[in-house]
């Protein structure tokens, strides 16, 4: 879900996160970092041939984004806004295997 700036369209293009598991696995764990309404979840993508890559999923637990450009509506929260491989702009293709 999302648009070109938030969520699926954003992280599949800009950060090369193409598999739902790369987002769902960190989200199914515990919260790793909280800064106000911004939450981070961390997980690992493991490939036997290439090793591991740390996956970071950022979520917004608020009705609106920090810049107020997006509003989820009354009683709703924005949710996941991006996912990426820690330390690099674009995840290598191998994390999606």
């Amino acid at each position: 879900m999302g648009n070109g700036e938030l969520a699926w369209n954003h992280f599949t293009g800009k950060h090369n996160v193409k598999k739902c598991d790369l987002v769902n696995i960190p989200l199914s764990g515990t919260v790793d970092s909280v800064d106000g309404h911004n939450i981070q979840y961390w997980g690992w993508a493991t490939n036997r041939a290439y090793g591991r890559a740390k996956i970071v999923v950022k979520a917004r637990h608020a009705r609106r984004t920090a810049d107020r450009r997006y509003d989820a509506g009354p009683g709703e929260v924005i949710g996941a806004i991006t996912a990426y491989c820690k330390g690099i702009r674009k995840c290598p293709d191998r994390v999606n295997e």
Side-chain angles (χ1 to χ4, degrees):
M1 300 291 178
N3 61 27
E5 290 185 88
L6 299 174
W8 188 256
N9 288 345
H10 170 75
F11 55 73
T12 57
K14 183 176 180 181
H15 299 300
N16 196 35
V17 172
K18 308 269 187 199
K19 293 183 89 177
C20 292
D21 283 346
L22 295 175
V23 177
N24 293 336
I25 289 170
L27 288 175
S28 67
T30 59
V31 172
D32 292 290
S33 175
V34 177
D35 180 14
H37 293 287
N38 300 313
I39 302 169
Q40 283 189 25
Y41 298 86
W42 305 333
W44 293 94
T46 303
N47 181 305
R48 290 181 191 201
Y50 301 108
R52 302 186 327 163
K54 188 173 188 175
I55 305 296
V56 177
V57 177
K58 290 187 176 182
R60 176 85 177 156
H61 192 72
R63 177 180 167 173
R64 294 182 181 89
T65 55
D67 62 7
R68 298 187 153 294
R69 289 181 59 200
Y70 299 96
D71 187 328
E76 301 296 326
V77 296
I78 296 291
I81 57 174
T82 194
Y84 57 92
C85 289
K86 178 82 173 166
I88 54 177
R89 181 180 175 271
K90 194 168 192 162
C91 291
D93 289 333
R94 63 182 161 82
V95 301
N96 294 298
E97 293 178 5

